[in-house]
Coordinates of all heavy atoms in Angstrom, one line a residue:
P70 N 50.3 5.4 11.5 CA 50.5 4.4 12.6 C 49.9 3.1 12.1 O 49.1 3.0 11.2 CB 49.7 5.0 13.7 CG 48.6 5.8 13.1 CD 49.3 6.4 11.8
P71 N 50.3 2.0 12.8 CA 49.8 0.7 12.4 C 48.3 0.6 12.7 O 47.8 1.2 13.6 CB 50.6 -0.3 13.3 CG 51.0 0.5 14.4 CD 51.3 1.9 13.9
K72 N 47.6 -0.2 11.9 CA 46.2 -0.4 12.1 C 45.9 -1.2 13.3 O 46.7 -2.1 13.7 CB 45.6 -1.1 10.9 CG 45.6 -0.3 9.6 CD 45.1 -1.2 8.4 CE 46.1 -2.3 8.1 NZ 45.8 -3.0 6.9
G73 N 44.9 -0.8 14.1 CA 44.5 -1.6 15.3 C 44.1 -3.0 14.9 O 43.4 -3.2 13.9
P74 N 44.4 -4.0 15.8 CA 44.0 -5.3 15.5 C 42.5 -5.4 15.5 O 41.8 -4.8 16.3 CB 44.6 -6.1 16.7 CG 45.7 -5.3 17.2 CD 45.3 -3.8 16.9
L75 N 42.0 -6.2 14.5 CA 40.5 -6.4 14.4 C 40.3 -7.8 13.8 O 41.0 -8.3 12.9 CB 39.9 -5.4 13.4 CG 38.4 -5.7 13.0 CD1 37.5 -5.5 14.2 CD2 38.0 -4.7 11.9
D76 N 39.4 -8.6 14.4 CA 39.0 -9.9 13.9 C 37.5 -10.1 14.1 O 37.0 -10.1 15.3 CB 39.8 -11.0 14.7 CG 39.7 -12.3 14.1 OD1 39.4 -12.4 12.9 OD2 39.9 -13.3 14.8
R77 N 36.8 -10.2 13.0 CA 35.3 -10.3 13.1 C 34.9 -11.5 12.3 O 35.3 -11.7 11.2 CB 34.7 -9.0 12.5 CG 33.1 -9.1 12.5 CD 32.6 -7.9 11.8 NE 32.9 -6.6 12.5 CZ 33.5 -5.6 11.9 NH1 33.9 -5.7 10.6 NH2 33.8 -4.5 12.6
H78 N 34.0 -12.3 12.9 CA 33.4 -13.5 12.3 C 31.9 -13.5 12.4 O 31.4 -13.3 13.5 CB 34.0 -14.8 13.0 CG 35.4 -14.9 13.0 ND1 36.2 -15.5 12.1 CD2 36.4 -14.4 13.9 CE1 37.5 -15.5 12.4 NE2 37.6 -14.8 13.5
I79 N 31.2 -13.7 11.3 CA 29.8 -13.9 11.2 C 29.5 -15.2 10.5 O 30.0 -15.4 9.4 CB 29.1 -12.7 10.5 CG1 29.5 -11.3 11.2 CG2 27.6 -12.8 10.5 CD1 29.0 -10.1 10.4
Y80 N 28.8 -16.0 11.2 CA 28.6 -17.4 10.6 C 27.2 -17.9 11.0 O 26.6 -17.4 12.0 CB 29.7 -18.3 11.1 CG 29.8 -18.3 12.6 CD1 29.1 -19.3 13.4 CD2 30.5 -17.4 13.3 CE1 29.2 -19.3 14.8 CE2 30.6 -17.4 14.7 CZ 29.9 -18.4 15.4 OH 30.0 -18.4 16.8
G81 N 26.7 -18.9 10.3 CA 25.4 -19.5 10.7 C 24.8 -20.2 9.5 O 25.5 -20.6 8.5
G82 N 23.5 -20.5 9.7 CA 22.8 -21.2 8.6 C 21.3 -21.3 8.9 O 20.8 -20.9 10.0
T83 N 20.6 -21.9 8.0 CA 19.1 -22.1 8.1 C 18.8 -23.5 7.6 O 19.5 -24.1 6.9 CB 18.4 -21.0 7.3 OG1 18.6 -21.3 5.9 CG2 18.8 -19.6 7.6
L84 N 17.6 -23.9 8.1 CA 17.1 -25.2 7.7 C 15.6 -25.2 7.8 O 15.1 -24.8 8.9 CB 17.7 -26.4 8.5 CG 17.2 -27.8 8.1 CD1 17.6 -28.1 6.7 CD2 17.7 -28.8 9.1
G85 N 14.9 -25.6 6.8 CA 13.4 -25.7 6.8 C 12.9 -26.9 6.1 O 13.6 -27.5 5.2
G86 N 11.8 -27.4 6.5 CA 11.2 -28.5 5.8 C 9.9 -29.0 6.4 O 9.3 -28.3 7.3
P87 N 9.4 -30.1 6.0 CA 8.1 -30.6 6.5 C 8.2 -31.4 7.8 O 9.2 -32.2 7.9 CB 7.6 -31.5 5.3 CG 8.9 -32.0 4.7 CD 9.9 -31.0 4.9
I88 N 7.2 -31.3 8.7 CA 7.0 -32.2 9.8 C 5.9 -33.2 9.4 O 6.0 -34.4 9.6 CB 6.7 -31.5 11.1 CG1 7.9 -30.5 11.5 CG2 6.4 -32.4 12.2 CD1 7.6 -29.7 12.7
K89 N 4.9 -32.7 8.8 CA 3.8 -33.4 8.2 C 3.5 -32.8 6.8 O 3.1 -31.7 6.8 CB 2.6 -33.5 9.1 CG 1.5 -34.4 8.5 CD 0.3 -34.5 9.5 CE -0.8 -35.4 8.9 NZ -2.0 -35.5 9.8
R90 N 3.7 -33.6 5.8 CA 3.5 -33.0 4.5 C 2.2 -32.3 4.3 O 1.2 -32.8 4.6 CB 3.7 -34.1 3.4 CG 3.8 -33.7 2.0 CD 4.1 -34.8 1.1 NE 4.1 -34.4 -0.3 CZ 5.2 -33.8 -0.9 NH1 6.3 -33.6 -0.2 NH2 5.2 -33.4 -2.2
N91 N 2.3 -31.1 3.6 CA 1.2 -30.2 3.3 C 0.5 -29.7 4.5 O -0.5 -28.9 4.4 CB 0.1 -31.0 2.5 CG 0.7 -31.4 1.1 OD1 1.5 -30.7 0.6 ND2 0.2 -32.5 0.6
T92 N 0.9 -30.0 5.7 CA 0.2 -29.6 6.9 C 1.0 -28.8 7.9 O 0.7 -27.7 8.4 CB -0.5 -30.8 7.6 OG1 -1.3 -31.5 6.7 CG2 -1.3 -30.3 8.8
L93 N 2.2 -29.4 8.3 CA 3.0 -28.8 9.4 C 4.4 -28.7 9.0 O 5.0 -29.7 8.4 CB 2.9 -29.7 10.7 CG 3.6 -29.2 11.9 CD1 3.0 -27.9 12.4 CD2 3.5 -30.3 13.0
F94 N 5.0 -27.5 9.1 CA 6.3 -27.2 8.6 C 7.1 -26.5 9.7 O 6.6 -25.9 10.7 CB 6.3 -26.3 7.4 CG 5.3 -26.8 6.3 CD1 4.0 -26.3 6.3 CD2 5.7 -27.7 5.4 CE1 3.1 -26.7 5.4 CE2 4.9 -28.1 4.4 CZ 3.5 -27.6 4.4
F95 N 8.5 -26.7 9.6 CA 9.4 -26.0 10.6 C 10.4 -25.2 9.8 O 10.7 -25.5 8.6 CB 10.1 -27.0 11.5 CG 11.2 -27.7 10.8 CD1 12.5 -27.2 10.9 CD2 11.0 -28.8 10.1 CE1 13.6 -27.8 10.3 CE2 12.1 -29.5 9.4 CZ 13.4 -29.0 9.5
F96 N 10.9 -24.1 10.4 CA 12.0 -23.4 9.9 C 12.9 -22.9 11.1 O 12.4 -22.4 12.0 CB 11.5 -22.2 9.1 CG 12.7 -21.3 8.5 CD1 13.3 -21.7 7.4 CD2 13.1 -20.2 9.2 CE1 14.4 -20.9 6.9 CE2 14.1 -19.4 8.7 CZ 14.8 -19.8 7.6
G97 N 14.2 -23.1 11.0 CA 15.1 -22.7 12.0 C 16.3 -22.0 11.4 O 16.7 -22.2 10.3
S98 N 16.8 -21.1 12.2 CA 18.0 -20.4 11.8 C 18.9 -20.1 13.0 O 18.5 -20.0 14.1 CB 17.6 -19.0 11.1 OG 17.1 -18.1 12.0
F99 N 20.2 -19.9 12.7 CA 21.2 -19.6 13.7 C 22.2 -18.6 13.1 O 22.6 -18.7 11.9 CB 22.0 -20.8 14.1 CG 23.2 -20.5 14.9 CD1 23.1 -20.1 16.2 CD2 24.5 -20.6 14.3 CE1 24.3 -19.8 16.9 CE2 25.6 -20.3 15.0 CZ 25.5 -19.9 16.3
E100 N 22.6 -17.6 13.9 CA 23.6 -16.7 13.4 C 24.5 -16.4 14.6 O 24.1 -16.0 15.7 CB 23.0 -15.4 12.9 CG 24.1 -14.4 12.5 CD 23.6 -13.0 12.0 OE1 22.9 -13.0 11.0 OE2 23.8 -12.0 12.7
G101 N 25.8 -16.5 14.4 CA 26.8 -16.2 15.4 C 27.6 -15.0 15.0 O 27.9 -14.8 13.8
Y102 N 28.0 -14.2 16.0 CA 28.8 -13.0 15.7 C 29.9 -12.9 16.7 O 29.6 -12.8 17.9 CB 27.9 -11.7 15.7 CG 28.6 -10.4 15.4 CD1 28.6 -9.9 14.1 CD2 29.3 -9.8 16.4 CE1 29.3 -8.7 13.9 CE2 30.0 -8.6 16.2 CZ 29.9 -8.0 14.9 OH 30.6 -6.8 14.7
K103 N 31.2 -12.9 16.3 CA 32.3 -12.8 17.2 C 33.2 -11.7 16.7 O 33.6 -11.7 15.5 CB 33.0 -14.1 17.4 CG 32.3 -15.1 18.2 CD 33.2 -16.3 18.5 CE 32.5 -17.3 19.5 NZ 33.4 -18.4 19.8
Q104 N 33.6 -10.8 17.6 CA 34.5 -9.7 17.1 C 35.5 -9.4 18.3 O 35.1 -9.3 19.5 CB 33.8 -8.5 16.7 CG 34.7 -7.3 16.4 CD 33.9 -6.1 15.9 OE1 33.4 -6.1 14.8 NE2 34.0 -5.0 16.6
T105 N 36.7 -9.2 17.9 CA 37.8 -8.7 18.8 C 38.5 -7.5 18.2 O 38.9 -7.6 17.1 CB 38.8 -9.8 19.2 OG1 38.1 -11.0 19.7 CG2 39.8 -9.3 20.2
S106 N 38.5 -6.4 18.9 CA 39.2 -5.2 18.4 C 40.0 -4.6 19.5 O 39.9 -4.9 20.7 CB 38.1 -4.2 17.9 OG 37.2 -3.8 18.9
N107 N 40.9 -3.7 19.1 CA 41.8 -3.1 20.0 C 41.7 -1.6 19.8 O 41.9 -1.1 18.7 CB 43.3 -3.6 19.6 CG 44.2 -3.2 20.7 OD1 44.5 -2.0 21.0 ND2 44.9 -4.2 21.3
V108 N 41.4 -0.9 20.9 CA 41.2 0.6 20.8 C 42.0 1.3 21.9 O 42.3 0.7 22.9 CB 39.7 0.9 20.9 CG1 38.9 0.4 19.8 CG2 39.1 0.5 22.2
N109 N 42.3 2.5 21.7 CA 42.9 3.4 22.6 C 41.9 4.4 23.2 O 41.2 5.0 22.4 CB 44.1 4.1 22.0 CG 45.2 3.2 21.6 OD1 45.5 2.2 22.2 ND2 45.9 3.6 20.5
Q110 N 41.8 4.5 24.5 CA 40.9 5.3 25.1 C 41.6 6.4 26.0 O 42.6 6.0 26.7 CB 39.9 4.5 26.0 CG 39.0 3.6 25.3 CD 37.8 4.4 24.7 OE1 37.9 5.5 24.3 NE2 36.7 3.7 24.5
F111 N 41.1 7.6 26.0 CA 41.6 8.7 26.8 C 40.5 9.1 27.8 O 39.3 9.4 27.3 CB 42.1 9.8 26.0 CG 43.4 9.5 25.3 CD1 43.4 9.0 24.0 CD2 44.6 9.8 25.9 CE1 44.6 8.7 23.4 CE2 45.8 9.5 25.3 CZ 45.8 9.0 24.0
F112 N 40.8 9.3 29.0 CA 39.8 9.8 30.0 C 40.4 11.0 30.8 O 41.6 11.2 30.8 CB 39.5 8.7 31.0 CG 38.9 7.4 30.4 CD1 39.7 6.4 30.0 CD2 37.5 7.3 30.2 CE1 39.2 5.2 29.4 CE2 37.0 6.1 29.7 CZ 37.8 5.1 29.3
S113 N 39.5 11.7 31.4 CA 39.9 12.8 32.2 C 39.7 12.4 33.7 O 38.5 12.2 34.1 CB 39.2 14.1 31.9 OG 39.4 14.5 30.6
V114 N 40.7 12.4 34.5 CA 40.6 11.9 35.9 C 41.2 12.9 36.8 O 42.1 13.7 36.4 CB 41.3 10.5 36.1 CG1 40.6 9.5 35.2 CG2 42.7 10.6 35.8
P115 N 40.8 13.0 38.1 CA 41.4 13.9 39.0 C 42.8 13.5 39.5 O 43.0 12.3 39.7 CB 40.4 13.9 40.2 CG 39.7 12.6 40.1 CD 39.6 12.3 38.7

Side-chain angles (χ1 to χ4, degrees):
K72 295 173 291 185
L75 171 67
D76 191 22
R77 180 185 297 123
H78 304 268
I79 303 175
Y80 55 95
T83 65
L84 178 64
I88 297 177
K89 184 177 181 180
R90 188 174 178 83
N91 296 329
T92 303
L93 186 61
F94 310 92
F95 77 93
F96 178 81
S98 68
F99 166 76
E100 178 182 294
Y102 179 98
K103 287 188 176 183
Q104 174 174 297
T105 302
S106 59
N107 193 298
V108 297
N109 295 328
Q110 294 280 30
F111 288 90
F112 301 90
S113 299
V114 298

